[in-house]
Amino acid sequence: MNKDFAFILGNGVTRLEVDCVSLLDKGIVYGCNRIYEEFAPSVLVSTDVGISTEIQQSGYSARNVHYTRSVHKIEDSGANVLPKEFEGYSSGPAALALASLSPANYLFLIGMDLKGVNNMINNIYAGTAHYKDKNTDAVFFGNWIDQITTIIGKHSSKRFMHVNPLDNFTADEFRKNPNFETITLSVFKSMINNT
């Protein structure tokens, strides 16, 4: 495993184009919410009460690294509390914030699509418990942009790479940082397989 790599997995549709389980051999993997049912990332983050409660009640938090907000932590569940400065963040940005504190210098944002698909919700878990219905309008992503932009700006010595963005969409605010770039899936695979 390369400790210089951190993979931050959102739950947008582009995440399905990456074999996320194989990333565990390549670096530190940060996942969000219901991904815990697919596999155990190195670090799991959940910030909404419903899914955070479900994860803790399943016993996952006692066996794996899981972070949630202090108000959602169930006593003796094994869950960790997010640092106070990240408590107001959504799950994806909170995962990125934790990754930015790791030794990794290359942070890959995967499946962090931000925008919807055909103006509809873009979440591979839509329609499951604690998620909006698949036929819901796309969600407002301005908060995610603000939170991620803040993280990128605070960690200027690290490289943030948006992998295979949906429809090549990346927020202009991200691009203003010299330590941010977008990369294709093929460039990403080449980077992680040739080190």
Side-chain angles (χ1 to χ4, degrees), residues 4-173:
D4 214 22
F5 289 162
F7 307 100
I8 301 86
L9 309 178
N11 294 326
V13 294
T14 61
R15 195 192 89 201
L16 299 175
E17 298 173 26
V18 176
D19 177 4
C20 295
V21 175
S22 70
L23 297 178
L24 290 166
D25 294 331
K26 304 288 186 184
I28 307 164
V29 178
Y30 295 79
C32 302
N33 303 315
R34 190 162 300 289
I35 198 172
Y36 87 96
E37 290 186 324
E38 294 181 38
F39 75 102
S42 312
V43 178
L44 179 71
V45 177
S46 62
T47 58
D48 292 338
V49 62
I51 192 70
S52 297
T53 300
E54 175 187 315
I55 292 165
Q56 292 171 85
Q57 289 178 341
S58 76
Y60 180 94
S61 309
R63 300 183 307 272
N64 302 281
V65 179
H66 171 219
Y67 282 85
T68 190
R69 293 178 176 159
S70 59
V71 295
H72 303 326
K73 179 177 167 41
I74 298 172
E75 190 173 343
D76 299 325
S77 69
N80 299 288
V81 173
L82 285 166
K84 285 186 181 182
E85 64 184 298
F86 309 148
E87 281 246 333
Y89 284 9
S90 301
S91 297
L96 180 62
L98 286 173
S100 71
L101 299 178
S102 78
N105 287 307
Y106 297 87
L107 289 82
F108 299 95
L109 289 71
I110 301 167
M112 296 183 83
D113 295 339
L114 302 174
K115 66 182 212 140
V117 176
N118 298 322
N119 297 318
M120 303 301 283
I121 193 167
N122 176 5
N123 191 301
I124 61 175
Y125 302 117
T128 66
H130 314 298
Y131 283 85
K132 294 184 179 193
D133 185 75
K134 291 180 181 181
N135 297 317
T136 304
D137 289 341
V139 298
F140 172 73
F141 53 84
N143 292 338
W144 300 338
I145 289 175
D146 292 344
Q147 293 163 9
I148 292 169
T149 301
T150 297
I151 296 162
I152 295 169
K154 280 185 178 177
H155 300 278
S156 58
S157 65
K158 296 184 183 257
R159 288 182 61 191
F160 294 81
M161 286 164 278
H162 196 181
V163 178
N164 189 35
L166 180 68
D167 299 332
N168 292 313
F169 175 75
T170 297
D172 290 337
E173 293 86 342

